């Protein structure tokens, strides 16, 4: 890697002390009128990265540079001096920059003037306790150094207004070190405006007496608030903050916190009253729910009793169904007997069959009616199954709906029972008709036997 001894400085119009990765060199070209700069830094990796981005950079110690006087137009020292260890090394670096610059030296860095002011308010900048910031460069240091170097044509200014404590750079003083932008986990901070100007950066332009472009240079730099313009008898240049400023802001903060406390107390009392009202409402609701729960238990008991009644009714219907089945089997058996008699007498009773064909049709109608009765019984069984399901669902429905279902079920059941009774009576009648038909057939058979015997004897 090249050193300063290998470089022709006449090819460069500015130097960047502590150039890092090249951002300050870009700034010098955009705002300070630089054309080609040479960066100097002690970090080899940062130099290599800046070189890959197209910047000219060399490895070197800015506190011990051997450079000819007035070899470049200006020198940039951006966010570097706070990393030096002592006031002497800072003074030496600034003196070296003033010596090699033909026109001016541009210095910028973090704002440390407000550290004591912020600490008195229980606050800090997040960079104030960074370990890599070993020297907290303030405006009074710059005044002292430039006075010692005889530099009177200068501007010391703040840049980046921090109007109140809501700014991301402001942390509570209890925030852990080595932090960046404020987040809620850094701790609570009250929000209030500062009574004195607070900035993010300090900027210093130290110009040579014969530099004619000094006014236009200041015009090209945006957002500068000159400390000379902010100075007065109470706050001379280099002393922007006094004990009275801290007391004023503390009094303001105390008044604001007291007002918030009183408001919070009133809100708490109102919330407590609302809570008590809600608590009473909850008790009333609990009592109503207890009453509803008791009603539900009573309804459950009634439904259980109804379910048992339905089970008993279902059992009775099952018995009726069994009786009907036995009756059907008897009818089937009777039909078989009738068919058997028909088969035995078919050859002999053709005329009798024709005479009693109507009776056979009656028997068939009886069988058809029995089939219908069986289907009716099956539908009745299905209705009973539906009634059981309806009774099971009644526990989830309103009491009035339960009574209505029960009435409809009772009416339907009574109708079905009446229909079953009528069917049973008709079945009994058909059975009696069948019995009489059997008797008639037997009588006819008895009459035919003597006739057959006489025929055989003839």
């Amino acid at each position: 890697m090249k050193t300063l001894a290998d470089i022709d400085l006449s090819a460069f119009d500015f130097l960047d002390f502590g150039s890092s990765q090249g951002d300050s060199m870009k700034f010098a070209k955009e705002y300070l009128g630089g054309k080609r700069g040479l960066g100097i830094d002690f970090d080899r990796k940062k130099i290599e990265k800046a070189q890959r981005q197209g910047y000219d950079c060399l490895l070197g110690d800015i506190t011990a540079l051997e450079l000819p006087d007035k070899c470049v137009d200006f020198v940039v020292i951006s966010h570097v001096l706070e990393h030096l260890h002592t006031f002497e090394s800072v003074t030496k670096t600034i003196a070296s920059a003033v010596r090699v610059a033909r026109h001016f030296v541009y210095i910028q860095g973090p704002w440390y003037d407000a550290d004591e002011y912020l600490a008195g308010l229980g606050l800090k900048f997040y960079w104030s306790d960074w370990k890599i910031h070993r020297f907290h460069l303030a405006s009074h240091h710059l005044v002292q150094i430039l006075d010692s170097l005889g530099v009177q044509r200068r501007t010391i200014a703040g840049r980046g207004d921090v109007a109140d404590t809501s700014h991301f750079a402001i942390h509570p003083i209890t925030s852990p070190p080595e932090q960046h932008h404020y987040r809620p986990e850094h701790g609570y901070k009250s929000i209030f405006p500062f009574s004195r100007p607070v900035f993010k950066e300090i900027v210093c332009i130290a110009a040579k007496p014969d530099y004619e472009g000094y006014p236009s240079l200041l015009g090209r730099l945006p957002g500068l608030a000159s400390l000379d313009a902010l100075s007065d008898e109470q706050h001379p240049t280099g002393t922007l903050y006094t004990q009275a400023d801290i007391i004023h802001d503390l009094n303001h903060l105390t008044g604001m916190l007291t007002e918030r406390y009183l408001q919070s107390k009133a809100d708490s009392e109102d919330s407590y009253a609302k809570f008590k009202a809600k608590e009473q409402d909850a008790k009333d609701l609990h009592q109503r729910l207890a009453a509803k729960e008791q009603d539900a238990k009573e309804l459950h008991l009634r439904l259980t009793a109804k379910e048992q009644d339905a089970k008993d009714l279902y059992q009775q219907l099952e018995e009726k169904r069994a009786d009907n089945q036995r009756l059907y089997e008897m009818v089937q058996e009777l039909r078989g007997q009738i068919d058997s008699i028909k088969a035995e007498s078919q050859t002999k009773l053709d005329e009798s069959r024709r005479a009693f064909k109507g009776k056979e049709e009656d028997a068939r109608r009886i069988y058809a009616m029995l089939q219908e009765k069986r289907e009716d019984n099956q539908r009745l069984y299905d209705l009973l199954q539906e009634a059981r399901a309806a009774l099971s669902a009644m526990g989830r429905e309103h009491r009035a709906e339960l009574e209505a279902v029960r009435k409809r079920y009772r009416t339907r059941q009574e109708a079905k029972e009446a229909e079953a009774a009528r069917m049973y009576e008709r079945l009994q009648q058909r059975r009696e008709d069948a019995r009489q038909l059997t008797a008639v057939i037997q009588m006819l058979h008895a009459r035919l036997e003597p006739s057959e015997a006489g025929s055989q004897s003839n």
Side-chain angles (χ1 to χ4, degrees), residues 186 214 260 385 402 441:
H186 291 138
Y214 183 56
R260 289 183 181 177
Q385 289 288 67
L402 174 63
I441 293 173

Coordinates of all heavy atoms in Angstrom, one line a residue, residues 186 214 260 385 402 441:
H186 N -35.6 1.3 26.0 CA -34.5 2.1 26.6 C -34.9 2.8 27.8 O -34.1 3.3 28.6 CB -34.0 3.1 25.6 CG -33.2 2.5 24.4 ND1 -33.4 2.9 23.1 CD2 -32.4 1.5 24.3 CE1 -32.6 2.2 22.3 NE2 -32.0 1.3 23.0
Y214 N -14.9 32.6 1.5 CA -15.4 32.3 2.8 C -17.0 32.5 2.9 O -17.7 31.7 3.3 CB -14.7 33.0 3.9 CG -15.1 32.6 5.3 CD1 -15.1 31.3 5.8 CD2 -15.5 33.6 6.2 CE1 -15.5 31.0 7.0 CE2 -16.0 33.3 7.5 CZ -15.9 32.0 7.9 OH -16.3 31.7 9.2
R260 N -49.8 16.3 34.7 CA -50.1 15.0 34.3 C -50.5 14.1 35.4 O -51.4 13.2 35.3 CB -48.9 14.4 33.5 CG -48.6 15.0 32.2 CD -47.5 14.3 31.5 NE -47.2 14.9 30.2 CZ -46.2 14.6 29.4 NH1 -45.4 13.6 29.8 NH2 -46.0 15.2 28.3
Q385 N -89.9 -42.5 17.0 CA -88.5 -42.2 16.9 C -88.2 -40.7 16.8 O -87.4 -40.1 17.5 CB -87.8 -42.9 15.8 CG -87.7 -44.4 15.9 CD -86.7 -44.8 17.0 OE1 -86.9 -44.5 18.2 NE2 -85.6 -45.4 16.6
L402 N -91.0 -26.0 24.3 CA -91.1 -27.4 24.8 C -92.6 -27.7 25.0 O -93.0 -28.8 24.6 CB -90.3 -27.5 26.1 CG -90.5 -28.8 26.9 CD1 -90.0 -29.9 26.1 CD2 -89.8 -28.7 28.2
I441 N -116.9 -72.6 4.9 CA -116.2 -73.6 4.1 C -116.3 -75.0 4.7 O -116.5 -76.0 4.0 CB -114.7 -73.1 3.9 CG1 -114.7 -71.8 3.1 CG2 -113.9 -74.2 3.2 CD1 -113.3 -71.2 3.0

